[in-house]
Amino acid sequence: MPSYVITGGRGIAYEFANQLTSKPENHVFSVVRSPDSVPALGKLAAERKNLHVLKADITDLPALKQAAKEVAAITGGTLDVLLNVAAWLSNDVNSFKTLFEFEGNEEVLVKDLHESFEVNVVGVIYVTNSFLPLLRAGQTKKVITLSTGMADPDFNYLANQSQAGPYTISKAATNMVSSKYAAEFAGEGFKFVAISPGLVDTTVPGTTFSDEQMAGVTKMVAGFKKAFPDFTGQYISPTESVNLMLNIIDTLKPEENGAFISHLRNKNWL
């Protein structure tokens, strides 16, 4: 039975679990910091016996090692695909600030940078290292890490994306993490790929945004249209994004090891 480990339990991570467990032959493991905080995932697990919810923060190495043992006990010590989905992005107005706009408030910038790197870089390394022994014994040896097109320096400049510094800087580092693993394990048939899921609407129903946050979103979308004049400004759903990414994951080629690509399998981030 193909086996998958997914970090995170909301939004795109939930949709990965939803689509993968729709095939009864798949063993799917969702690793989440607090199972009680993701009731929709718990409900899905109650309905589908091929979904297992494991508790571990991706920055907690001992907890991850324990989660890997729990996966191994069910799969017989193997894992086919690791999906690094969980990430940190400040959800307040600071995420729309430029680096210079933190002038005079550097402690907030430093805190956001530290949190972004701890989760998006160190956490990805912890997760990958914890599950590598199982992946080495698996059949497909695929490690997929979600990134963002805003971590592409060329696109970032063309689209005038001066905001979200800590998040996008950390994601650029995450891309390098994937590349480093790709170089180390290419000889073993691994495929490490960083994928941007596209511009996905993961807003929780009922969420409200301040005027400042809405101004930040408007500026961001205007920049996207500058880089891609045909962009309509429309977000895609988690369902569409995950469906596109799974089509890529299922058909990865050896020459794609180490790649940083979009949900469209190219550098079109939107």
Side-chain angles (χ1 to χ4, degrees):
M1 296 176 70
S3 54
Y4 299 79
V5 164
I6 307 161
T7 61
R10 296 187 179 92
I12 293 172
Y14 171 87
E15 188 56 32
F16 267 120
N18 180 40
Q19 292 193 29
L20 288 169
T21 56
S22 68
K23 297 179 179 181
E25 66 271 20
N26 290 340
H27 271 314
V28 182
F29 304 85
S30 290
V31 178
V32 298
R33 179 174 55 187
S34 174
D36 291 340
S37 69
V38 282
L41 185 68
K43 183 174 182 294
L44 187 66
E47 297 169 352
R48 299 179 182 176
K49 300 307 178 185
N50 59 337
L51 174 60
H52 310 269
V53 180
L54 307 179
K55 181 178 180 179
D57 189 308
I58 68 170
T59 63
D60 185 342
L61 188 56
L64 289 169
K65 296 289 188 182
Q66 178 58 37
K69 290 180 181 178
E70 293 175 30
V71 171
I74 294 173
T75 65
T78 69
L79 176 64
D80 294 309
V81 182
L82 172 62
L83 297 164
N84 284 307
V85 182
W88 164 263
L89 170 62
S90 176
N91 60 3
D92 59 22
V93 72
N94 289 321
S95 63
F96 295 104
K97 286 184 176 180
T98 68
L99 295 176
F100 185 65
E101 286 172 341
F102 284 99
E103 176 73 13
N105 202 16
E106 285 80 5
E107 68 278 3
V108 175
L109 171 62
V110 171
K111 180 176 181 293
D112 204 347
L113 282 165
H114 283 173
E115 289 176 331
S116 297
F117 266 80
E118 183 179 17
V119 176
N120 302 339
V121 182
V122 177
V124 167
I125 294 170
Y126 279 178
V127 171
T128 304
N129 285 352
S130 295
F131 288 97
L132 261 171
L134 278 65
L135 287 159
R136 278 178 142 169
Q139 295 296 311
T140 62
K141 298 179 172 62
K142 296 176 182 178
V143 179
I144 311 302
T145 301
L146 261 61
S147 185
T148 171
M150 292 169 68
D152 174 358
D154 292 335
F155 172 70
N156 184 78
Y157 179 76
L158 288 173
N160 194 30
Q161 297 300 306
S162 57
Q163 76 283 6
Y167 174 71
T168 55
I169 291 168
S170 70
K171 280 297 187 178
T174 305
N175 292 346
M176 183 57 71
V177 168
S178 181
S179 179
K180 291 295 185 182
Y181 279 115
E184 183 174 3
F185 292 100
E188 296 184 28
F190 272 84
K191 300 178 187 71
F192 284 85
V193 178
I195 299 183
S196 169
L199 189 60
V200 185
D201 183 4
T202 56
T203 306
V204 177
T207 301
T208 58
F209 296 95
S210 67
D211 290 344
E212 196 171 356
Q213 286 173 313
M214 285 304 302
V217 171
T218 300
K219 178 183 177 183
M220 178 183 71
V221 173
F224 291 162
K225 290 181 178 179
K226 176 176 177 286
F228 290 95
D230 293 335
F231 175 57
T232 64
Q234 293 296 312
Y235 287 63
I236 62 175
S237 68
T239 300
E240 181 179 357
S241 174
V242 168
N243 183 58
L244 288 167
M245 288 190 288
L246 284 176
N247 285 337
I248 294 172
I249 293 165
D250 289 343
T251 59
L252 279 174
K253 303 176 180 66
E255 58 267 26
E256 290 177 298
N257 181 41
F260 170 37
I261 55 178
S262 74
H263 58 303
L264 302 175
R265 211 172 198 150
N266 53 30
K267 296 292 185 180
N268 183 344
W269 307 115
L270 302 172

Coordinates of all heavy atoms in Angstrom, one line a residue, residues 25-99:
E25 N -6.4 2.2 -1.0 CA -5.2 1.5 -0.9 C -4.0 2.4 -0.3 O -3.0 1.8 0.0 CB -4.7 1.1 -2.3 CG -4.4 2.3 -3.3 CD -5.6 2.8 -4.0 OE1 -6.8 2.5 -3.6 OE2 -5.4 3.4 -5.1
N26 N -4.3 3.6 -0.1 CA -3.3 4.5 0.5 C -3.3 4.5 2.0 O -4.3 4.5 2.7 CB -3.5 6.0 0.1 CG -3.2 6.2 -1.4 OD1 -2.4 5.4 -2.0 ND2 -3.7 7.2 -2.0
H27 N -2.1 4.5 2.6 CA -1.9 4.7 4.1 C -1.5 6.2 4.2 O -0.5 6.6 3.6 CB -0.8 3.8 4.7 CG -1.3 2.5 5.2 ND1 -2.4 2.4 6.0 CD2 -0.7 1.3 5.0 CE1 -2.5 1.1 6.3 NE2 -1.5 0.4 5.7
V28 N -2.2 7.0 4.9 CA -1.9 8.4 5.0 C -1.8 8.8 6.5 O -2.6 8.4 7.3 CB -3.1 9.3 4.4 CG1 -2.7 10.8 4.5 CG2 -3.2 8.9 2.9
F29 N -0.8 9.5 6.8 CA -0.5 10.0 8.2 C -0.4 11.5 8.2 O 0.5 12.1 7.5 CB 0.8 9.3 8.7 CG 0.9 7.9 8.6 CD1 1.2 7.2 7.4 CD2 0.5 7.1 9.7 CE1 1.3 5.8 7.4 CE2 0.6 5.7 9.6 CZ 0.9 5.1 8.5
S30 N -1.2 12.1 9.0 CA -1.2 13.6 9.2 C -0.5 13.9 10.5 O -1.0 13.5 11.5 CB -2.6 14.2 9.1 OG -3.1 14.1 7.8
V31 N 0.6 14.6 10.4 CA 1.3 15.0 11.6 C 1.0 16.4 12.0 O 1.2 17.3 11.2 CB 2.9 14.9 11.4 CG1 3.6 15.3 12.7 CG2 3.2 13.4 11.0
V32 N 0.3 16.6 13.1 CA -0.1 17.9 13.5 C 0.3 18.2 14.9 O 0.5 17.4 15.8 CB -1.7 18.0 13.4 CG1 -2.1 17.8 12.0 CG2 -2.4 17.0 14.3
R33 N 0.4 19.5 15.2 CA 0.9 20.0 16.5 C -0.1 19.7 17.6 O 0.2 19.2 18.7 CB 1.2 21.5 16.5 CG 1.6 22.1 17.8 CD 2.0 23.5 17.6 NE 1.0 24.3 17.0 CZ 1.1 25.6 16.6 NH1 2.2 26.2 16.8 NH2 0.1 26.2 16.1
S34 N -1.4 19.9 17.3 CA -2.5 19.7 18.3 C -3.7 19.1 17.5 O -4.5 19.8 16.9 CB -2.9 21.0 18.9 OG -4.0 20.9 19.8
P35 N -3.9 17.8 17.6 CA -5.1 17.2 16.9 C -6.4 17.8 17.3 O -7.3 17.9 16.5 CB -5.0 15.7 17.4 CG -3.5 15.5 17.7 CD -3.1 16.8 18.3
D36 N -6.6 18.3 18.5 CA -7.8 18.9 19.0 C -8.1 20.2 18.2 O -9.3 20.6 18.2 CB -7.8 19.1 20.5 CG -7.9 17.8 21.3 OD1 -8.2 16.8 20.7 OD2 -7.5 17.9 22.5
S37 N -7.1 20.8 17.7 CA -7.3 22.1 17.0 C -7.7 22.0 15.6 O -7.9 23.0 14.9 CB -6.0 22.9 17.1 OG -5.0 22.4 16.3
V38 N -7.7 20.7 15.1 CA -8.1 20.5 13.7 C -9.3 19.5 13.6 O -9.1 18.3 13.2 CB -6.9 20.0 12.8 CG1 -6.0 21.2 12.5 CG2 -6.1 18.9 13.6
P39 N -10.4 19.9 14.1 CA -11.6 18.9 14.2 C -12.0 18.4 12.9 O -12.5 17.2 12.8 CB -12.7 19.8 14.8 CG -12.3 21.2 14.6 CD -10.8 21.2 14.6
A40 N -11.9 19.1 11.8 CA -12.2 18.6 10.5 C -11.4 17.4 10.1 O -11.9 16.5 9.5 CB -12.1 19.7 9.4
L41 N -10.1 17.5 10.4 CA -9.2 16.4 10.1 C -9.6 15.2 11.0 O -9.6 14.0 10.5 CB -7.8 16.8 10.4 CG -6.7 15.8 10.0 CD1 -6.6 15.6 8.5 CD2 -5.3 16.2 10.6
G42 N -9.9 15.4 12.2 CA -10.3 14.3 13.1 C -11.6 13.7 12.6 O -11.7 12.4 12.7
K43 N -12.5 14.5 12.1 CA -13.8 13.9 11.5 C -13.5 13.1 10.3 O -14.0 12.0 10.1 CB -14.7 15.1 11.1 CG -16.1 14.6 10.6 CD -16.9 15.8 10.4 CE -18.3 15.4 9.9 NZ -18.3 14.9 8.5
L44 N -12.5 13.5 9.5 CA -12.1 12.8 8.3 C -11.5 11.4 8.7 O -11.8 10.4 8.1 CB -11.2 13.6 7.4 CG -10.8 13.0 6.1 CD1 -12.0 13.0 5.1 CD2 -9.6 13.8 5.4
A45 N -10.7 11.5 9.7 CA -10.0 10.3 10.2 C -11.0 9.3 10.7 O -10.8 8.0 10.6 CB -9.0 10.6 11.2
A46 N -12.1 9.8 11.4 CA -13.1 8.9 11.9 C -13.9 8.2 10.8 O -14.4 7.1 10.9 CB -14.1 9.7 12.8
E47 N -13.9 8.9 9.6 CA -14.7 8.3 8.5 C -13.8 7.4 7.6 O -14.3 6.5 6.9 CB -15.2 9.5 7.6 CG -16.2 10.4 8.3 CD -16.6 11.6 7.6 OE1 -15.9 11.9 6.5 OE2 -17.5 12.4 8.0
R48 N -12.5 7.7 7.6 CA -11.6 6.9 6.7 C -10.5 6.3 7.5 O -9.7 7.0 8.1 CB -11.0 7.9 5.6 CG -12.1 8.5 4.8 CD -11.5 9.4 3.7 NE -12.6 10.0 2.9 CZ -12.4 11.0 2.0 NH1 -11.1 11.4 1.8 NH2 -13.4 11.5 1.3
K49 N -10.6 5.0 7.6 CA -9.7 4.3 8.5 C -8.2 4.2 7.9 O -7.3 3.8 8.7 CB -10.2 2.8 8.7 CG -11.6 2.8 9.3 CD -11.6 3.6 10.6 CE -13.0 3.6 11.3 NZ -13.1 4.5 12.5
N50 N -8.0 4.7 6.7 CA -6.7 4.7 6.2 C -6.0 6.1 6.5 O -4.9 6.3 6.0 CB -6.6 4.5 4.7 CG -7.5 5.4 3.9 OD1 -8.4 6.1 4.4 ND2 -7.2 5.5 2.6
L51 N -6.6 6.9 7.3 CA -6.0 8.2 7.8 C -5.7 8.1 9.2 O -6.5 7.8 10.1 CB -6.9 9.4 7.5 CG -6.5 10.7 8.1 CD1 -5.1 11.1 7.5 CD2 -7.5 11.8 7.8
H52 N -4.4 8.3 9.6 CA -3.9 8.3 11.0 C -3.4 9.7 11.3 O -2.6 10.3 10.6 CB -2.8 7.3 11.1 CG -3.1 5.9 10.5 ND1 -3.7 4.9 11.2 CD2 -3.0 5.5 9.3 CE1 -3.9 3.9 10.5 NE2 -3.4 4.2 9.2
V53 N -3.9 10.2 12.4 CA -3.5 11.6 12.9 C -2.5 11.4 14.0 O -2.8 10.8 15.1 CB -4.7 12.4 13.4 CG1 -4.3 13.8 13.8 CG2 -5.7 12.6 12.2
L54 N -1.3 11.9 13.8 CA -0.2 11.8 14.8 C 0.1 13.2 15.4 O 0.1 14.2 14.7 CB 1.0 11.2 14.2 CG 0.8 9.9 13.4 CD1 2.1 9.4 12.8 CD2 0.2 8.8 14.4
K55 N 0.4 13.2 16.7 CA 0.7 14.5 17.4 C 2.2 14.7 17.4 O 2.9 13.9 18.0 CB 0.1 14.5 18.8 CG 0.4 15.8 19.5 CD -0.2 15.7 20.9 CE 0.0 17.0 21.7 NZ -0.6 17.0 23.0
A56 N 2.6 15.8 16.8 CA 4.0 16.2 16.9 C 4.2 17.6 16.3 O 3.6 17.9 15.2 CB 5.0 15.3 16.1
D57 N 4.8 18.5 17.0 CA 5.2 19.8 16.4 C 6.4 19.6 15.6 O 7.3 18.9 16.0 CB 5.5 20.8 17.6 CG 5.7 22.2 17.1 OD1 6.5 22.4 16.2 OD2 5.1 23.1 17.7
I58 N 6.5 20.2 14.4 CA 7.6 20.0 13.5 C 8.9 20.6 14.0 O 10.0 20.3 13.4 CB 7.3 20.4 12.1 CG1 7.2 21.9 11.9 CG2 6.1 19.7 11.5 CD1 7.2 22.4 10.5
T59 N 8.9 21.3 15.1 CA 10.1 21.8 15.7 C 10.5 21.0 16.9 O 11.5 21.3 17.5 CB 10.0 23.3 16.1 OG1 9.0 23.4 17.1 CG2 9.6 24.2 14.9
D60 N 9.7 19.9 17.2 CA 10.0 19.1 18.3 C 10.6 17.8 17.8 O 9.9 16.8 17.4 CB 8.7 18.8 19.1 CG 8.9 18.0 20.4 OD1 9.9 17.4 20.5 OD2 7.9 18.1 21.2
L61 N 11.9 17.7 17.8 CA 12.6 16.5 17.2 C 12.2 15.2 17.9 O 11.9 14.2 17.2 CB 14.1 16.7 17.2 CG 14.9 15.7 16.5 CD1 14.5 15.6 15.0 CD2 16.4 16.1 16.5
P62 N 12.2 15.1 19.3 CA 11.8 13.9 19.9 C 10.4 13.4 19.5 O 10.2 12.2 19.3 CB 11.9 14.2 21.4 CG 13.0 15.3 21.5 CD 12.7 16.1 20.3
A63 N 9.5 14.4 19.4 CA 8.1 14.0 19.0 C 8.0 13.5 17.6 O 7.3 12.6 17.3 CB 7.2 15.2 19.2
L64 N 8.9 14.1 16.7 CA 8.9 13.6 15.4 C 9.5 12.2 15.2 O 9.0 11.4 14.5 CB 9.7 14.6 14.5 CG 9.1 16.0 14.2 CD1 10.1 16.9 13.6 CD2 7.8 15.8 13.3
K65 N 10.5 12.0 16.0 CA 11.1 10.6 16.0 C 10.1 9.6 16.5 O 10.0 8.5 16.0 CB 12.3 10.6 17.0 CG 13.5 11.5 16.5 CD 14.2 10.9 15.3 CE 15.4 11.7 15.0 NZ 16.1 11.2 13.8
Q66 N 9.3 10.0 17.5 CA 8.2 9.1 18.0 C 7.1 8.9 16.9 O 6.7 7.7 16.7 CB 7.6 9.6 19.2 CG 6.4 8.8 19.8 CD 6.8 7.4 20.1 OE1 7.9 7.1 20.6 NE2 5.9 6.4 19.9
A67 N 6.8 10.0 16.2 CA 5.8 9.8 15.1 C 6.3 8.9 14.0 O 5.6 8.1 13.4 CB 5.5 11.2 14.5
A68 N 7.6 9.0 13.7 CA 8.2 8.1 12.7 C 8.1 6.6 13.1 O 7.8 5.7 12.3 CB 9.7 8.5 12.4
K69 N 8.3 6.4 14.4 CA 8.2 5.0 15.0 C 6.7 4.5 14.8 O 6.5 3.4 14.5 CB 8.6 5.0 16.4 CG 10.1 5.2 16.7 CD 10.4 5.1 18.2 CE 11.9 5.3 18.4 NZ 12.2 5.3 19.9
E70 N 5.8 5.4 15.0 CA 4.4 5.0 14.9 C 4.0 4.7 13.4 O 3.3 3.8 13.2 CB 3.5 6.1 15.5 CG 3.6 6.3 17.0 CD 2.8 7.5 17.5 OE1 1.8 7.8 16.9 OE2 3.2 8.1 18.5
V71 N 4.6 5.5 12.5 CA 4.3 5.2 11.1 C 5.0 3.9 10.7 O 4.3 3.0 10.1 CB 4.9 6.3 10.2 CG1 4.9 5.9 8.8 CG2 4.2 7.7 10.4
A72 N 6.2 3.7 11.2 CA 6.9 2.4 10.9 C 6.2 1.2 11.4 O 6.2 0.1 10.7 CB 8.3 2.5 11.5
A73 N 5.5 1.3 12.5 CA 4.8 0.2 13.1 C 3.6 -0.2 12.2 O 3.2 -1.4 12.2 CB 4.3 0.6 14.5
I74 N 3.1 0.7 11.5 CA 1.9 0.4 10.6 C 2.3 0.0 9.3 O 1.7 -0.9 8.6 CB 1.0 1.7 10.6 CG1 0.4 1.9 12.0 CG2 -0.1 1.5 9.5 CD1 -0.4 3.2 12.1
T75 N 3.4 0.6 8.7 CA 3.8 0.4 7.3 C 4.9 -0.7 7.2 O 5.2 -1.1 6.1 CB 4.4 1.6 6.7 OG1 5.6 2.0 7.4 CG2 3.4 2.8 6.8
G76 N 5.4 -1.2 8.3 CA 6.4 -2.2 8.3 C 7.8 -1.6 8.1 O 8.7 -2.2 7.5
G77 N 7.9 -0.3 8.5 CA 9.2 0.4 8.4 C 9.5 1.1 7.1 O 10.7 1.5 6.9
T78 N 8.5 1.4 6.3 CA 8.7 2.1 5.1 C 7.8 3.3 4.9 O 6.8 3.5 5.7 CB 8.4 1.2 3.9 OG1 7.0 0.9 3.8 CG2 9.1 -0.2 4.0
L79 N 8.2 4.2 4.0 CA 7.4 5.4 3.7 C 7.7 5.7 2.2 O 8.9 5.7 1.8 CB 7.7 6.5 4.6 CG 7.0 7.9 4.3 CD1 5.5 7.7 4.4 CD2 7.6 9.0 5.1
D80 N 6.7 6.0 1.5 CA 6.9 6.3 0.0 C 7.0 7.8 -0.2 O 7.9 8.2 -1.0 CB 5.7 5.7 -0.8 CG 5.7 4.2 -0.7 OD1 6.7 3.6 -1.0 OD2 4.6 3.6 -0.4
V81 N 6.1 8.6 0.4 CA 6.1 10.1 0.1 C 6.0 10.9 1.3 O 5.1 10.6 2.2 CB 4.9 10.4 -0.9 CG1 5.0 11.9 -1.2 CG2 4.9 9.6 -2.1
L82 N 6.9 11.9 1.5 CA 6.8 12.8 2.6 C 6.4 14.2 2.0 O 7.0 14.7 1.0 CB 8.2 13.0 3.3 CG 8.3 14.1 4.3 CD1 7.3 13.9 5.5 CD2 9.7 14.2 4.8
L83 N 5.3 14.8 2.6 CA 4.8 16.1 2.1 C 5.0 17.1 3.2 O 4.3 17.1 4.2 CB 3.3 15.9 1.8 CG 3.0 15.0 0.6 CD1 1.5 14.7 0.6 CD2 3.4 15.6 -0.7
N84 N 6.0 17.9 3.1 CA 6.3 19.0 4.0 C 5.4 20.2 3.7 O 5.7 21.0 2.8 CB 7.7 19.5 4.0 CG 8.7 18.5 4.6 OD1 8.5 18.1 5.8 ND2 9.7 18.1 3.9
V85 N 4.2 20.2 4.4 CA 3.2 21.3 4.1 C 3.2 22.3 5.2 O 3.0 23.5 4.9 CB 1.8 20.7 3.9 CG1 0.8 21.7 3.6 CG2 1.9 19.6 2.8
A86 N 3.3 21.9 6.5 CA 3.2 22.9 7.6 C 4.2 24.0 7.5 O 5.3 23.8 7.1 CB 3.4 22.1 8.9
A87 N 3.7 25.2 7.8 CA 4.6 26.4 7.6 C 4.1 27.5 8.6 O 3.0 27.4 9.1 CB 4.6 26.9 6.2
W88 N 5.0 28.4 8.8 CA 4.7 29.6 9.6 C 4.6 30.8 8.7 O 5.5 31.1 7.9 CB 5.8 29.8 10.7 CG 5.7 31.2 11.3 CD1 6.5 32.3 11.0 CD2 4.8 31.6 12.3 NE1 6.1 33.4 11.7 CE2 5.1 33.0 12.6 CE3 3.8 31.0 13.1 CZ2 4.4 33.7 13.5 CZ3 3.2 31.7 14.0 CH2 3.5 33.1 14.3
L89 N 3.5 31.6 8.9 CA 3.3 32.9 8.2 C 2.6 33.7 9.2 O 1.5 33.4 9.6 CB 2.6 32.8 6.9 CG 2.1 34.1 6.3 CD1 3.3 35.0 5.9 CD2 1.3 33.8 5.0
S90 N 3.2 34.9 9.6 CA 2.5 35.8 10.5 C 1.2 36.2 9.9 O 1.1 36.6 8.7 CB 3.4 37.0 10.7 OG 2.7 38.0 11.5
N91 N 0.1 36.0 10.7 CA -1.2 36.3 10.1 C -1.8 37.7 10.5 O -2.9 38.0 10.4 CB -2.2 35.2 10.6 CG -2.4 35.2 12.1 OD1 -1.8 35.9 12.8 ND2 -3.2 34.2 12.5
D92 N -0.9 38.5 11.0 CA -1.3 39.9 11.3 C -0.8 40.9 10.3 O -0.2 40.5 9.3 CB -0.9 40.3 12.8 CG 0.6 40.2 12.9 OD1 1.4 40.3 11.9 OD2 1.1 40.1 14.1
V93 N -0.9 42.1 10.6 CA -0.6 43.2 9.6 C 0.9 43.2 9.3 O 1.3 43.7 8.3 CB -1.1 44.5 10.1 CG1 -0.2 45.0 11.3 CG2 -1.1 45.6 9.0
N94 N 1.7 42.6 10.2 CA 3.2 42.6 10.0 C 3.6 41.9 8.7 O 4.6 42.1 8.2 CB 3.9 42.0 11.2 CG 3.8 43.0 12.4 OD1 4.0 44.2 12.3 ND2 3.6 42.4 13.6
S95 N 2.7 40.9 8.3 CA 3.1 40.1 7.1 C 3.0 40.9 5.9 O 3.5 40.5 4.8 CB 2.1 38.9 7.0 OG 0.8 39.3 6.8
F96 N 2.4 42.1 5.9 CA 2.3 43.0 4.8 C 3.3 44.1 4.8 O 3.3 45.0 3.9 CB 0.9 43.5 4.6 CG -0.1 42.5 4.3 CD1 -1.0 42.1 5.3 CD2 -0.2 41.9 3.1 CE1 -1.9 41.1 5.1 CE2 -1.2 40.9 2.8 CZ -2.0 40.5 3.8
K97 N 4.1 44.2 5.8 CA 5.1 45.2 5.9 C 6.4 44.9 5.1 O 6.7 43.8 4.9 CB 5.6 45.4 7.4 CG 4.5 46.1 8.3 CD 5.1 46.3 9.7 CE 4.1 47.1 10.6 NZ 4.6 47.3 11.9
T98 N 7.0 46.0 4.6 CA 8.3 45.8 4.0 C 9.4 45.7 5.1 O 9.1 46.1 6.2 CB 8.6 47.0 3.0 OG1 8.8 48.2 3.8 CG2 7.5 47.2 2.0
L99 N 10.6 45.3 4.7 CA 11.6 45.3 5.7 C 11.9 46.7 6.3 O 12.2 46.8 7.5 CB 12.9 44.7 5.1 CG 12.8 43.2 4.6 CD1 14.1 42.8 3.9 CD2 12.5 42.3 5.8

